[in-house]
Amino acid sequence: MKTVTTSSPSSTTGVDVVLPCLDEAEALPWVLERIPAGWTALVVDNGSTDGSAEIARSLGATVVHEPRRGFGAACHAGLTAATADIVCFCDCDASLDPALLLPFVQEVRAGEAELVLGRRRAHGRGAWPAHARAGNLALSWLLRRRTGLRLHDLGPLRAARREALLALGLDDRRSGYPLQMVMRAADAGWRVTEHDVPYLPRTGASKVTGTWRGTWQAVRDMSRVLAEPRAAAPEPGRAVR
């Protein structure tokens, strides 16, 4: 069961940023200082052994502890711990700047889209290894066939309304979570948009796409999600937690 320790309360009218974290002590200061003013950083510690949770707490973040390993487990723990109207997601490895989420949130608030995604554009040598980029392109193509959405990336930088996300009933707890979110959003008739964002070389070693094996496991997880039957649109106002 996840536990939450808080340094500052979330706001039901504000923005929570979910930051899945596994041994990101080196990157955390850079990431947290770029959280827009007035927003709450929810650092979801997924079993770190390098003091990430303590560092995050000392820097003013809310720390959520999720003992079940898996990217999806960490993301969903953050989503269920969030209390703000709008929830954003961002990697915690300094490859993406959370300040880039400002126009994403504005677009959701204005009702111009229900889900906004960042299309990663590599900046700097080694920012996006060839094998990871190839896997992402393949999955984007398969997603287009499955949903009709003409997306170019399934990147982790994204924004949507919390209650609507909960109503999607997301249940993948591994690498398929980001894809499942987009698929079920499409099935529910959401407007999904994407915007270019700079993708920087990450700080520290990648837990997923840093190796061919990790990339293959992620593609396998996502292939399983792609095989799901088309989901029925959730009932209005019903949230599945």
Side-chain angles (χ1 to χ4, degrees):
M1 181 181 296
K2 65 178 180 294
T3 57
V4 183
T5 54
T6 312
S7 59
S8 59
S10 293
S11 168
T12 55
T13 59
V15 176
D16 286 340
V17 184
V18 175
L19 299 159
C21 176
L22 177 58
D23 293 331
E24 302 291 3
E26 188 178 352
L28 272 168
W30 186 93
V31 174
L32 293 177
E33 72 180 6
R34 285 164 175 77
I35 299 292
W39 294 13
T40 298
L42 298 178
V43 174
V44 185
D45 183 54
N46 202 207
S48 299
T49 59
D50 66 349
S52 290
E54 292 74 19
I55 292 171
R57 194 176 298 109
S58 72
L59 294 171
T62 294
V63 177
V64 179
H65 292 278
E66 175 50 78
R68 294 174 298 172
R69 285 292 180 91
F71 184 76
C75 287
H76 204 70
L79 175 60
T80 56
T83 59
D85 177 41
I86 295 177
V87 175
C88 299
F89 296 84
C90 181
D91 277 354
C92 202
D93 58 11
S95 62
L96 291 162
D97 186 344
L100 297 170
L101 287 162
L102 279 163
F104 290 30
V105 169
Q106 292 169 358
E107 192 168 342
V108 172
R109 277 193 173 141
E112 297 167 359
E114 283 75 49
L115 177 62
V116 185
L117 308 174
R119 180 185 182 184
R120 291 168 291 183
R121 296 290 198 175
H123 282 229
R125 183 174 181 144
W128 203 353
H131 56 272
R133 194 176 310 187
N136 184 74
L137 286 172
L139 286 165
S140 296
W141 181 76
L142 291 171
L143 177 70
R144 185 177 301 181
R145 287 187 59 189
R146 164 66 169 72
T147 66
L149 291 175
R150 300 185 64 83
L151 299 175
H152 301 85
D153 191 11
L154 296 171
L157 199 70
R158 49 186 65 191
R161 292 192 183 275
R162 177 176 58 87
E163 288 297 331
L165 284 172
L166 289 169
L168 293 178
L170 304 174
D171 55 16
D172 188 278
R173 296 297 181 262
R174 292 166 55 107
S175 299
Y177 188 86
L179 173 62
Q180 188 180 62
M181 182 187 296
V182 177
M183 276 181 48
R184 294 196 177 179
D187 290 350
W190 289 22
R191 289 164 294 178
V192 182
T193 60
E194 66 176 5
H195 302 289
D196 288 356
V197 294
Y199 192 46
L200 310 173
R202 63 158 292 140
T203 299
S206 173
K207 285 73 174 179
V208 179
T209 57
T211 65
W212 280 98
R213 179 179 179 183
T215 299
W216 168 246
Q217 288 176 338
V219 170
R220 185 173 59 183
D221 288 345
M222 293 186 184
S223 296
R224 184 181 64 250
V225 171
L226 282 165
E228 290 182 358
R230 195 174 296 273
E235 297 175 15
R238 182 183 178 188
V240 182
R241 297 178 186 269

Short mmCIF file of all heavy atoms in Angstrom, two decimals, residues 10 51 113 154:
data_model
loop_
_atom_site.label_atom_id
_atom_site.label_comp_id
_atom_site.label_asym_id
_atom_site.label_seq_id
_atom_site.Cartn_x
_atom_site.Cartn_y
_atom_site.Cartn_z
N SER A 10 -1.96 20.02 -1.57
CA SER A 10 -2.40 20.24 -2.95
C SER A 10 -3.66 21.09 -2.94
O SER A 10 -4.36 21.19 -1.94
CB SER A 10 -2.65 18.90 -3.63
OG SER A 10 -1.47 18.19 -3.79
N GLY A 51 18.40 7.73 -1.47
CA GLY A 51 17.95 8.90 -0.72
C GLY A 51 17.06 9.84 -1.49
O GLY A 51 16.84 10.98 -1.06
N ALA A 113 -8.55 20.72 -25.37
CA ALA A 113 -8.15 19.32 -25.44
C ALA A 113 -8.38 18.69 -24.08
O ALA A 113 -8.35 19.37 -23.05
CB ALA A 113 -6.69 19.18 -25.85
N LEU A 154 4.75 8.84 -27.80
CA LEU A 154 4.01 8.44 -26.61
C LEU A 154 4.77 8.88 -25.37
O LEU A 154 4.89 8.16 -24.39
CB LEU A 154 3.81 6.92 -26.60
CG LEU A 154 2.96 6.38 -27.75
CD1 LEU A 154 3.00 4.87 -27.77
CD2 LEU A 154 1.54 6.88 -27.64
#
